[in-house]
Structure formats: C-alpha cells, structure tokens
Amino acid sequence: MSLALPTDPSGLLERAPRLAELLPDAALSEALATGDAWKVHALLVRRLDKERPGPTRDLLAALVEGRGAFVTSAPTPRTPSFLGTGLRWKGQPASTAPDAPFVAERTVTVFGLPVWPLNDYLVRASASAPLQVIGQVPPPARRAWRRAGVVGCVVLGLGVGVGLGGALLTLGQKHAVSVVNGLSRTVEVRIGAQHWELAPGARVDGVVTLEKDEAPHGRANWPGSEWPFEDVVLPTDGDHIVYNVRGAATLEGHSLPSSHATDLSGRRPLSGTGLVLFPEEQLVVAKANWESTVLAHMEAGRWQAAGQVASAVAEVEADNVRARELAARGVLLADAQTHDHRPGDPRAKNTAPFARMLMHQWQNDPGAQSLAQDLMASVGLGKEALERYYEHENAFRDQPLPALYLRRARTMEVLSSLALPEYESLAKRFPDSPDVGRALLEARWRKELEDPLASREQTAGSTRDFVRETSRQVEAFTAKHPPETEEQLELFVRIHLRAWRRDAATALVHRYGQDPRHRAWEFLVLAGRLAEVVGPAHTPYVLRDWIPGAMTRQPEQMLLLDLLTGRRMPKEEERLALPSPIDREVLGLTRDTLEQPARAMEQAAKASDAVLSRMEPEVVALLALELTRTGDARGKRLFTTSLPLLFARDPLLKYLHSGEVTPAFSRLAPGLRAAAVLAHARREAKEGYTVFTGRLDGLVDLDALQGFSVRAAPVWMKLAFDACMDTKVSHKHPENVMVMLTGDLIRHWNQEENNREGRRPNCEARVVEPTGLPPPKGAPAAVTPAAGTPASGNANGADP
C-alpha cells in the first residue's frame, strides 16, 4: 500500500484534520483527489451506514455532523417573506462567540411555521449587519425525516400504498439459495441483496427476494476487490437456486425418501454454475474442492469435463500451477480422443482455447506463458503463437518479459547451442531483469547437456571452463536474486553439481530450507537426493529436521521419501502395512523399478491411472520406453498419465528409435533424458543384440542428482549381461565347408557356442566398462578391452 499523502486540492484535511485518521483508504483518497468536498461527505455518510459500533463509527459520526468543514462557495440566496410566509432562515449559533460561523437552513414557511427545507449554508451573524453567507454545505444525513407536514403525509400515504402493492406483486418471488465454493481461496458472493463470504470448500444457504421478471445474478469476487471475477445469470424456474462458483465443486441432487423419483438411484448430478433443485430433492456436496472434482473426472475418463473445471479455476486463480497442469492434461487427452480431423481443426478444439486464455490472462507469469507455448506447439499452432508474441513484444518493447516470451517461442525448434546467442543478446538488453538472468543460465546449462553421450574426456578444456563459468555466474546471480521456487532451486543445484561444486549446491539448499514455508514435498525430495549424492561431509543440514510434523505421521509419505531419495529401500512388511491399496502399489512399483525391472514392467502395464499419475514421471517414462522397446503396445498408455510425459512422448520415442537429439529432446528434464538414454542403450541392433558400448557413457553426468535411471542402470545392465552370457556365439562357416559335417570340428564348434564362461570377457567389455559403473555382482575379475575397443565375435549383449 502506498505511503504517500493523498492529493487534497480542496484543503479538506486542513479544515477537518481528523479525516487523516481514516487513511489510508483507496476510496477516500480518490474522493479527496477530485477536490469535491460534497463527494467526500457523501462517502463518509455511506460508510457510516455500514460501520459497526466502535471508535471508527464515532469518528465518522463526528465528521458527518461537522458539515461546516465541507463548505463550498455559493452566491447569497434571496429570502423574501411576508407575514411569516415565504423563504426564511432557520438555525442559531452553536457557540456563544458573536462571530462564530454556524449552519443555517433556508426553508419554506407558512405563517412562521417551517414546511419544507430547501438547502443549507454556512453563515455568520452580526448585530450590526444582516446575516453573512460564507458558502453552501451538504445537506444533513437524515434530511428525509425532516421533510414533514402536509406534503410529507401525502408522500407517506402514497409510499404505504405503493409498498402494499409491491408486497402483493412480489408475493411468491422468494427463493431458497445455496452457494458452494470449491476454489482454493476465500470468495465473496452476492445474489440480489444477499452477501456471503465463503471459505474454501464451504457451503451457505439463504433466501433471496426477487422482483417480478428479475434475473438474479451470482457475482463472485476476491475479498478486497470490487470487480467480480464471475457474473452469471442464475435460473429462476425453481424454488431452490444453487450457485456453484466456477463450477468447481461436485454437486448432486438426492431424492428424498418419500418422493417418487424417476431416477432409480435417487441421485442426479448437478453440473455447471447456476442450477435448480427439484421440489423433492436435497443438495449434497460430493466433492467440496475443485481438485477432487477434476481427479474424479479423470479417473472416469471424462477428460473434457476435467479440462473445463481445471481451466475455469486456472483462469481466475493466480499462481495455481496445479490447476494449469491438470487443465492442460485434460484438454490434451480430450482432443486426442476426438475423431474430428477436418481441415482447420488440428485436434485443438479444447487445447487451443485454453492456451489462448493463458496467453492473454497471465501475461506477467512466465510459467503460464511457457505452458501456453508448449500447448500451442503440441497441436500444431506454434506459428500462431509466435505471431502473437511478436505483437506483444512490439507493444511493450521496454519490458523484459515480452522479449523473453518471444525468444522462447523463436527457439523452440532449434538446439540449445543455437538458442544460447539469443538469450545472451537479451541479457545485454535487460541486464537487471532476474527472469532474463535465469533464462540465460538455463540456456547455458542446456547447452552443456545437449549431447547426452558426452564422456568426461570430451568435457575437458574449453567445455570444462564453460561449465565452471556457468556455476560462477549462478553464485553471483543467487546472491542478488535467491531462488523463489523449487524449480529454480533445482536448476541452480544441477549447475553447481555439474561443475563439481558440491558445497555451493548444498549451501544453496540449506539457505532455501531455512524458511519453513519452502519445505514442500518437492523440496524435501531434492534436498534428500542432494545429500545422498554429495555425502554427509558436504551436507550442512539434516533432512529429518525439515520434515513437517504432519508428514512424519504418514508412513506412506515417509517410506516413499526414503525410496525417492535413495536413503533406504522399504521393507515388504512395511509396504503391506499401509492402509491404502494405491499407496501400496505406488511404493511397490517404484521399488521394483530399481530391483526387479521385469516384474515392474508387467505391473506397470496393468496399473491404473490413479497409481501411475502419483509416481515420478521419470520412473513411468523408463517403464513406458522399455515396454515400447520390447514391442508391448500397453506402454503407449503410460505416456498419458502425467503432463510432463504427454509433452515428452514424441521426443522420447524418437530418441529411443534413432538416437537423434532433437530440440524438443534437449529441453526435457534430465531425468526423462536419462531414462531415454538407458532404454536406447538396450535397444535391439541390426544383428539382434543390444549394444551398450558408448551408449551409457556420460549417463551420470547427464543427471547429476542421480535419479532413478542412473540408480536403475546397474540392475538393468545386469539383465543385458545375463542375456549376453546366455547367448550362443554363432560362427560364420566357410562356404566351401559342406553342411553335413561330423567329427571333431563340429564338436569344437558346439563346445564354443555352449561355453558360457568363455563369453564373459566380451560381455563385460561391451556392457559394463563404458558406463563407469561397477561390474554386476558376482562377476569374477577378467581382463576387458579398453573402453571403445570393439570386442571380438558378436556376443555383444543379447536382448532378454
């Protein structure tokens, strides 16, 4: 709120100093700035009518009564009178001082009796001169009560008649009304003359009286805001009106036991914002908040309904990232199920309107704009989005955010190394913008990770200096602009780890975690993984001290946190003791991905969306890619279980099949890219074998936090190692050797093909050595070829 004194051209604050006690007040400051003293007085009168008893009401009453402070210049009026009939002054000084000004009323009198008050003036009396008029003052707050007499009686009579007639006309226009707030914030709702304030998930019931043929409006606004974010016309074809704010809650009409319902179940879903109940129904709130409503629609496969509810919430709630993500997933899957492929409608019936809403509604939110760009690109409307951002940047050339949106839209189809100069030039143009600074650091980091197979030897020299320079820039940047979200924190931590600056990474997490408001689930997972990677010698914090007390009393949360951070594997008896079957399945499937990949893939192919949507996207991506690699069509469904996988599906599959690093692939999260690298390394080669040589080199450098793909690599490599050991080495026999051979040569060839231990040096060299990871457990030491040296024969790791 501004601390500057309000503009006061009329000098009211000098004539009525106690007005300053009501400041700061936006409406009062605006009225003072106009210089209209009467407008200020009218504002005080209205506020006095609404103010509750207390010191503020006493102050308002005193200011309203002191009308002399609100005097305005006016000519001296005429007061002709004859025998007490005509215009006369009424009033007397309130002070004994002879020259003290006082308020007098100019009235119509009949034979000396005041009949009708006209207007009021500030005057000064003098014994030797006529009454001196200083100026005109506002009328008293209760003047209507003083206009009495014969005319008053007539008006009163007419008013009583009109009132009785109006009561007869409006008889039967009273409606019962129920209001439900399914949003995440408190809202104020007005229907007719009724006003309520509803907390999240709350419901209120009341009665509104409507005039004949009046269309009632349901208006909802945030507390403190005068502008409603929703104004809908409610139906009146029933006695009970229901207003579901933004349609966020799930409502049902339940038939009363004594009624003869046509619906055998006795339940009727109530969808929309304005609804009516039948006479024999009662309102039941099935889902009191928007997220429960959206998830229920998704579990039932009603993707369009889920997208509509979530997008309605995302349109009015700023910074509601969860609503945006659920809405984006809902509209994408709704359009994916449509069979309408007409020209001009590229499966964007639901996605494009939602993306355009984000572009126009949240122009100062980089996260919303990034999501809008990804949505437009996913439905083939990237050119339209680019034109929109060109227009936006031209309209606001002196602001950094429009220029940043345009750079991202322009570089979506180019590799990170080619996009970096765009961000460097933008940083020179806006050197003080934290958003541009973060974007530049992210572009430098993505350039470092552009080639996921870059070995440690390839990062020497200038590349290594580039990595260290990025880390130094992050340190200088965070000193001025500390990370504000877990996403920004993770980016800076990964940059420091890639430069092998473990203390800088943990210090950044330690500082961020000092604020209890930052200790959300995503932060705890990040802090736990970082502690496991760098070790206790470089960790200045204890993760357990940051876990909220409510979470420590939830065993499913604690077991999953230990598993995701790599602290320990949950025991089977601990998993089975969880009360929720979904929690048991999430924990078991995540654990099996690290310990028993074959069983994890079979379980994932049959798991429900409720289970898969609660798992880490990297885990689901690894399982989906491996199912796709083995030709299992059930892997396709796994890509629809979360928004990151929906956006990443095409670049992940393209890398799986061809190993090509596309611009979309280079922008993916490191965990998703690591999953694609591991799955591609197990892909079948032309000769029918899985070739690991060189395909996992740099996996650890790609994901510095060592997520699930890095942790799962030894176990998944062990499968390929065992398959290699079980694969017979086939020899290419000379053409001049007859097929029907017998004797020692045939026995020698058969012995070589069945010699499992003889294949060990080739398998270890082709599977284990290039990764930099330890050999599979139980493998005896053997002399292996150097990394990158082709092994003899073709026993190079068969696909299991």
Side-chain angles (χ1 to χ4, degrees):
M1 184 173 292
S2 176
L3 298 180
L5 292 176
T7 306
D8 182 24
S10 62
L12 267 178
L13 291 177
E14 297 180 4
R15 298 195 301 272
R18 297 197 66 187
L19 270 175
E21 299 180 28
L22 299 176
L23 297 174
D25 182 274
L28 180 57
S29 299
E30 182 180 356
L32 285 171
T34 61
D36 190 342
W38 285 28
K39 183 177 181 179
V40 176
H41 186 269
L43 177 67
L44 297 177
V45 171
R46 290 196 300 269
R47 183 169 174 180
L48 176 63
D49 293 338
K50 299 179 181 179
E51 189 68 29
R52 296 179 179 179
T56 304
R57 183 178 178 84
D58 297 339
L59 172 60
L60 288 170
L63 290 172
V64 170
E65 288 296 329
R67 291 182 292 158
F70 303 90
V71 61
T72 60
S73 62
T76 302
R78 296 176 65 251
T79 55
S81 177
F82 178 74
L83 296 180
T85 303
L87 301 178
R88 299 185 63 182
W89 292 106
K90 178 185 176 183
Q92 58 184 357
S95 172
T96 56
D99 294 333
F102 64 95
V103 176
E105 183 180 78
R106 184 166 171 258
T107 62
V108 177
T109 58
V110 177
F111 298 113
L113 297 176
V115 176
W116 192 260
L118 294 178
N119 37 37
D120 298 345
Y121 292 82
L122 185 66
V123 298
R124 180 183 288 112
S126 176
S128 60
L131 201 66
Q132 179 185 358
V133 176
I134 301 174
Q136 191 173 357
V137 298
R142 303 298 178 183
R143 164 155 284 175
W145 294 97
R146 299 174 55 201
R147 294 189 170 180
V150 179
V151 177
C153 295
V154 173
V155 172
L156 180 61
L158 292 175
V160 172
V162 171
L164 292 176
L168 294 176
L169 290 176
T170 58
L171 187 61
Q173 296 299 315
K174 291 186 176 182
H175 294 265
V177 63
S178 297
V179 184
V180 182
N181 175 28
L183 301 180
S184 307
R185 298 168 52 186
T186 300
V187 299
E188 293 180 354
V189 175
R190 289 176 174 80
I191 302 178
Q194 296 291 338
H195 171 263
W196 301 276
E197 185 171 299
L198 284 80
R203 167 190 171 180
V204 296
D205 300 304
V207 177
V208 296
T209 303
L210 305 175
E211 298 181 2
K212 187 177 181 181
D213 299 330
E214 179 186 0
H217 284 250
R219 297 181 175 90
N221 61 276
W222 304 120
S225 174
E226 298 181 359
W227 300 100
F229 60 78
E230 183 175 55
D231 187 344
V232 297
V233 178
L234 302 177
T236 57
D237 52 350
D239 293 333
H240 195 155
I241 303 173
V242 179
Y243 177 30
N244 185 10
V245 181
R246 299 298 292 177
T250 302
L251 308 181
E252 295 178 350
H254 287 201
S255 300
L256 298 176
S258 59
S259 64
H260 302 284
T262 57
D263 185 3
L264 297 179
S265 65
R267 298 183 177 182
R268 181 174 64 96
L270 303 174
S271 58
T273 54
L275 317 158
V276 292
L277 280 180
F278 294 152
E280 300 298 331
E281 281 184 331
Q282 62 179 356
L283 178 65
V284 174
V285 181
K287 305 289 183 183
N289 62 81
W290 69 268
E291 189 170 357
S292 299
T293 300
V294 172
L295 294 179
H297 285 314
M298 288 185 168
E299 291 176 4
R302 299 186 295 266
W303 299 110
Q304 186 171 5
Q308 289 174 349
V309 175
S311 62
V313 176
E315 186 177 1
V316 297
E317 288 196 18
D319 301 327
N320 195 332
V321 180
R322 176 65 171 167
R324 296 174 189 170
E325 293 179 348
L326 290 178
R329 183 182 172 215
V331 296
L332 283 172
L333 292 178
D335 286 338
Q337 293 178 345
T338 183
H339 300 286
D340 188 3
H341 301 293
R342 297 172 299 174
D345 185 17
R347 293 187 301 170
K349 178 181 179 181
N350 299 280
T351 305
F354 175 65
R356 295 188 186 106
M357 182 277 293
L358 292 177
M359 294 169 62
H360 292 83
Q361 182 74 7
W362 306 114
Q363 296 183 3
N364 294 324
D365 191 328
Q369 297 302 318
S370 298
L371 177 58
Q373 292 176 7
D374 292 337
L375 289 171
M376 296 293 278
S378 66
V379 295
L381 298 177
K383 184 178 180 181
E384 175 189 329
L386 182 59
E387 294 175 353
R388 167 68 182 89
Y389 286 109
Y390 268 116
E391 297 175 357
H392 189 49
E393 200 268 346
N394 289 331
F396 303 96
R397 296 195 63 83
D398 58 337
Q399 298 183 15
L401 284 182
L404 182 61
Y405 303 154
L406 178 60
R407 295 307 180 277
R408 187 180 189 277
R410 286 173 53 178
T411 58
M412 291 187 69
E413 300 298 328
V414 299
L415 292 174
S416 300
S417 57
L418 301 177
L420 180 58
E422 291 268 1
Y423 289 96
E424 289 177 339
S425 63
L426 189 63
K428 294 179 180 178
R429 182 179 166 190
F430 300 102
D432 299 328
S433 171
D435 297 296
V436 174
R438 279 189 290 266
L440 174 61
L441 293 171
E442 183 177 1
R444 291 178 62 93
W445 174 68
R446 293 193 184 281
K447 179 183 180 299
E448 299 169 9
L449 300 181
E450 187 168 88
D451 184 3
L453 301 182
S455 64
R456 290 182 177 87
E457 290 76 11
Q458 292 173 327
T459 59
S462 60
T463 304
R464 185 176 302 171
D465 295 339
F466 186 86
V467 171
R468 292 174 178 174
E469 176 59 25
T470 304
S471 178
R472 286 192 292 268
Q473 291 183 14
V474 167
E475 192 170 27
F477 179 83
T478 53
K480 296 181 179 179
H481 309 287
E484 300 174 352
T485 63
E486 287 81 8
E487 183 180 4
Q488 297 174 10
L489 177 65
E490 181 178 348
L491 170 65
F492 299 152
V493 166
R494 288 186 179 274
I495 292 176
H496 284 319
L497 288 181
R498 182 162 174 78
W500 205 242
R501 301 184 63 195
R502 296 171 294 183
D503 293 334
T506 54
L508 200 59
V509 171
H510 185 218
R511 183 172 62 178
Y512 188 85
Q514 295 301 312
D515 190 344
R517 296 173 298 179
H518 291 162
R519 299 170 189 173
W521 173 259
E522 293 79 6
F523 168 74
L524 295 176
V525 174
L526 172 63
R529 285 183 173 176
L530 179 61
E532 292 296 322
V533 169
V534 303
H538 299 275
T539 306
Y541 57 85
V542 179
L543 181 64
R544 292 283 165 169
D545 296 341
W546 285 348
I547 300 178
M551 186 182 297
T552 59
R553 295 187 291 271
Q554 301 177 14
E556 68 279 2
Q557 294 282 73
M558 297 301 297
L559 292 175
L560 187 59
L561 182 62
D562 289 340
L563 178 56
L564 293 179
T565 56
R567 181 176 178 271
R568 72 178 184 95
M569 288 289 181
K571 299 179 180 179
E572 183 64 11
E573 54 269 22
E574 293 176 321
R575 185 184 74 87
L576 296 178
L578 297 177
S580 171
I582 295 181
D583 292 331
R584 294 196 297 267
E585 193 170 353
V586 168
L587 194 64
L589 185 54
T590 305
R591 182 195 60 189
D592 288 345
T593 304
L594 296 177
E595 293 184 336
Q596 302 184 43
R599 185 170 75 175
M601 286 188 291
E602 185 62 29
Q603 292 176 345
K606 300 180 294 185
S608 65
D609 286 350
V611 172
L612 296 173
S613 62
R614 292 181 53 183
M615 295 179 60
E616 285 286 300
E618 179 185 353
V619 180
V620 182
L622 183 59
L623 297 172
L625 288 168
E626 187 64 13
L627 287 172
T628 304
R629 186 190 68 80
T630 58
D632 194 331
R634 295 177 296 179
K636 179 181 179 181
R637 182 179 64 89
L638 271 64
F639 285 104
T640 66
T641 55
S642 69
L643 183 61
L645 291 180
L646 274 172
F647 285 140
R649 175 188 172 185
D650 291 340
L652 286 178
L653 291 179
K654 192 167 186 178
Y655 185 87
L656 173 68
H657 296 308
S658 65
E660 179 183 357
V661 179
T662 61
F665 183 81
S666 67
R667 293 198 310 272
L668 295 179
L672 298 179
R673 298 176 66 184
V677 170
L678 180 58
H680 176 70
R682 293 175 46 79
R683 179 177 172 269
E684 293 180 351
K686 292 181 180 179
E687 60 270 24
Y689 297 114
T690 301
V691 181
F692 267 82
T693 303
R695 292 188 178 177
L696 288 183
D697 198 12
L699 180 65
V700 177
D701 290 337
L702 176 62
D703 187 1
L705 284 173
Q706 296 186 14
F708 263 78
S709 297
V710 177
R711 292 168 58 191
V715 180
W716 290 59
M717 287 163 45
K718 182 65 166 57
L719 294 179
F721 176 82
D722 292 339
C724 174
M725 294 287 289
D726 294 335
T727 302
K728 296 181 179 181
V729 180
S730 60
H731 293 274
K732 185 177 182 181
H733 304 300
E735 295 180 358
N736 57 354
V737 179
M738 297 181 62
V739 178
M740 300 300 293
L741 292 178
T742 59
D744 295 338
L745 183 59
I746 296 298
R747 284 193 294 272
H748 176 70
W749 284 348
N750 290 336
Q751 184 179 3
E752 283 190 353
E753 291 179 356
N754 296 321
N755 184 10
R756 190 174 189 273
E757 286 302 318
R759 296 191 289 272
R760 181 177 294 278
N762 292 333
C763 294
E764 287 185 350
R766 303 303 297 275
V767 176
V768 179
E769 183 69 19
T771 66
L773 298 173
K777 294 182 180 180
V783 178
T784 60
T789 303
S792 59
N794 67 351
N796 49 15
D799 189 36

